[in-house]
Amino acid sequence: MEINKLYADNDMVRVGCHDCEGCSSCCTGMDDTVLLDPYDVYRLCKGLNKRFEQLLIEQKVDMHTDGGLILPHLKMREDDTCAFLENGRCSIHAIRPGICRLFPLGRQYSEDTVRYFLLEDACPAQNKTKMKVGKWLDQENLKQYEDFLVAWHNLTKKLREELSEQTDETYQKQVCTLFLQLFFMRPYGDDFFADFYERKNLLG
């Protein structure tokens, strides 16, 4: 995919879709692509007052293998719509995952920064308006959140590389189990970011 331009938080980009006006095309046919990071899971669990295991049991979230790691994603129903879509609207809009907040933007990572790019023609809305990237993301403590995203990206990249070099299946399973327990299964405290970095340090 060719990226024509990268945007930072204060840059203007044409993404304003007039509150979707009843459109829910980006909530359909996403398969397993709406990946959830630990902050997404923390926000969902806190907002819905449920443990991660409950979201799995209720089939709101599912798991898949990605580069050797087992990661969660939003689950699609049999009709290919998001499990959280109700009457054509997102029922978790205030606590929606980061990938949902992004669309129709994508992320590009460097070692210590994250920048954004526009997914041309991904959103069918007409006459989009320009908005600041930061406002579009609708994310409190954006800098802290972006630092977390970079740390999470670097961690998962490193683990994928390590797992790809391993032939010991027992070791691979141990790493995956610890990874799931640390970052998804074990509930977070009120200070998510401090809790996350403490857990990250356990993996080196």
Side-chain angles (χ1 to χ4, degrees), residues 19-90:
D19 195 30
C20 296
E21 295 183 348
C23 172
S24 59
S25 65
C26 61
C27 305
T28 302
M30 300 305 291
D31 195 25
D32 60 3
T33 62
V34 186
L35 291 177
L36 302 176
D37 61 41
Y39 189 65
D40 293 329
V41 169
Y42 162 77
R43 186 156 40 191
L44 283 172
C45 290
K46 185 176 181 182
L48 298 172
N49 193 28
K50 294 181 179 181
R51 291 178 63 94
F52 180 66
E53 294 90 327
Q54 289 178 270
L55 298 179
L56 289 168
I57 292 169
E58 294 173 5
Q59 298 190 47
K60 300 294 188 181
V61 170
D62 207 350
M63 310 286 279
H64 73 284
T65 302
D66 184 342
L69 292 177
I70 300 173
L71 293 169
H73 61 267
L74 290 188
K75 187 173 176 62
M76 298 292 122
R77 300 188 183 101
E78 289 187 2
D79 65 359
D80 225 14
T81 60
C82 175
F84 287 106
L85 190 68
E86 296 180 4
N87 300 316
R89 304 297 282 177
C90 176

Side-chain angles (χ1 to χ4, degrees), residues 7 13 15 102-107 116-119 133 136-137:
Y7 300 90
V13 60
V15 290
L102 269 176
F103 189 84
L105 297 176
R107 298 186 191 118
Y116 307 92
F117 57 90
L118 182 62
L119 297 164
V133 171
W136 177 251
L137 296 177

Side-chain angles (χ1 to χ4, degrees), residues 4-204:
N4 294 321
K5 184 176 180 180
L6 292 175
Y7 300 90
D9 306 341
N10 288 319
D11 290 333
M12 302 291 288
V13 60
R14 199 173 294 279
V15 290
C17 59
H18 319 288
D19 195 30
C20 296
E21 295 183 348
C23 172
S24 59
S25 65
C26 61
C27 305
T28 302
M30 300 305 291
D31 195 25
D32 60 3
T33 62
V34 186
L35 291 177
L36 302 176
D37 61 41
Y39 189 65
D40 293 329
V41 169
Y42 162 77
R43 186 156 40 191
L44 283 172
C45 290
K46 185 176 181 182
L48 298 172
N49 193 28
K50 294 181 179 181
R51 291 178 63 94
F52 180 66
E53 294 90 327
Q54 289 178 270
L55 298 179
L56 289 168
I57 292 169
E58 294 173 5
Q59 298 190 47
K60 300 294 188 181
V61 170
D62 207 350
M63 310 286 279
H64 73 284
T65 302
D66 184 342
L69 292 177
I70 300 173
L71 293 169
H73 61 267
L74 290 188
K75 187 173 176 62
M76 298 292 122
R77 300 188 183 101
E78 289 187 2
D79 65 359
D80 225 14
T81 60
C82 175
F84 287 106
L85 190 68
E86 296 180 4
N87 300 316
R89 304 297 282 177
C90 176
S91 65
I92 56 166
H93 193 263
I95 55 172
R96 65 197 184 281
I99 287 180
C100 302
R101 290 169 185 271
L102 269 176
F103 189 84
L105 297 176
R107 298 186 191 118
Q108 185 177 84
Y109 294 91
S110 65
E111 187 174 339
D112 57 2
T113 60
V114 57
R115 290 291 181 264
Y116 307 92
F117 57 90
L118 182 62
L119 297 164
E120 300 286 352
D121 302 321
C123 173
Q126 300 297 310
N127 303 315
K128 297 185 186 70
T129 57
K130 282 192 172 184
M131 295 179 64
K132 280 189 176 182
V133 171
K135 183 176 181 181
W136 177 251
L137 296 177
D138 187 25
Q139 173 64 57
E140 293 182 4
N141 305 315
L142 183 56
K143 179 62 170 65
Q144 188 178 33
Y145 173 66
E146 289 182 330
D147 288 344
F148 153 74
L149 287 175
V150 171
W152 177 245
H153 173 78
N154 290 339
L155 173 64
T156 54
K157 180 181 177 181
K158 176 184 175 183
L159 288 175
R160 286 189 182 99
E161 290 171 352
E162 290 179 357
L163 288 172
S164 70
E165 296 170 356
Q166 274 290 333
T167 57
D168 186 337
E169 291 186 5
T170 300
Y171 175 79
Q172 290 174 330
K173 289 179 181 179
Q174 288 174 342
V175 171
C176 285
T177 299
L178 176 61
F179 176 80
L180 282 174
Q181 288 293 333
L182 275 179
F183 296 110
F184 297 107
M185 297 298 186
R186 186 192 300 176
Y188 287 84
D190 291 332
D191 189 340
F192 166 82
F193 295 108
D195 205 350
F196 166 76
Y197 288 111
E198 184 176 321
R199 299 179 193 202
K200 175 179 175 292
N201 289 338
L202 293 176
L203 290 179

